[in-house]
Amino acid sequence: MAIEVTEKAIAAIKTAAAKRPTMPKALRVGIRGGGCTGFSYLFEWSDTDACAQDRVLSFENGAVNVFIDPKSFTLLDGSTLDYVSALMSSGFKWVNPNVKSTCSCGESVQF
């Protein structure tokens, strides 16, 4: 399988990266321990090249890159990263078929 990144998410990554003082190499996404149900999603800028074992998703001829560590890739495989805008909030949203449950706020997941 694979991880899909929507056009809206690619545009949001590009826009947010352009606001930084220096252009990052990529947006690193993943899963980390924590949150009320056990795991939470990780989003952080990477100013260094990908690690040898990272999965690299590249869009717009390399203008937008997403790095994913191998353990996170297993938990995100088959997912879609989207960017949603709503009246009360906007942000990145994972549609992850591997999730068994989420907390009431939606920020924490269980596998």
Side-chain angles (χ1 to χ4, degrees), residues 2-106:
I3 296 171
E4 180 183 341
V5 181
T6 67
E7 291 296 322
K8 286 186 206 175
I10 293 168
I13 294 167
K14 194 174 182 180
T15 299
K19 293 178 181 176
R20 294 190 74 222
T22 59
M23 188 62 82
K25 298 272 185 172
L27 176 66
R28 179 170 290 282
V29 299
I31 303 289
R32 65 177 170 207
C36 43
T37 59
F39 296 94
S40 60
Y41 292 110
L42 167 75
F43 293 91
E44 64 185 20
W45 296 115
S46 179
D47 293 320
T48 61
D49 291 329
C51 299
Q53 57 275 57
D54 281 341
R55 298 284 182 111
V56 178
L57 307 177
S58 187
F59 306 95
E60 297 188 1
N61 296 318
V64 176
N65 294 299
V66 177
F67 297 164
I68 309 168
D69 68 90
K71 189 181 283 187
S72 293
F73 188 85
T74 302
L75 297 171
L76 293 171
D77 197 18
S79 299
T80 299
L81 178 60
D82 196 8
Y83 188 85
V84 295
S85 296
L87 186 60
M88 298 291 285
S89 65
S90 298
F92 291 101
K93 176 179 173 45
W94 282 105
V95 179
N96 188 341
N98 304 309
V99 170
K100 292 189 175 149
S101 67
T102 62
C103 65
S104 60
C105 69

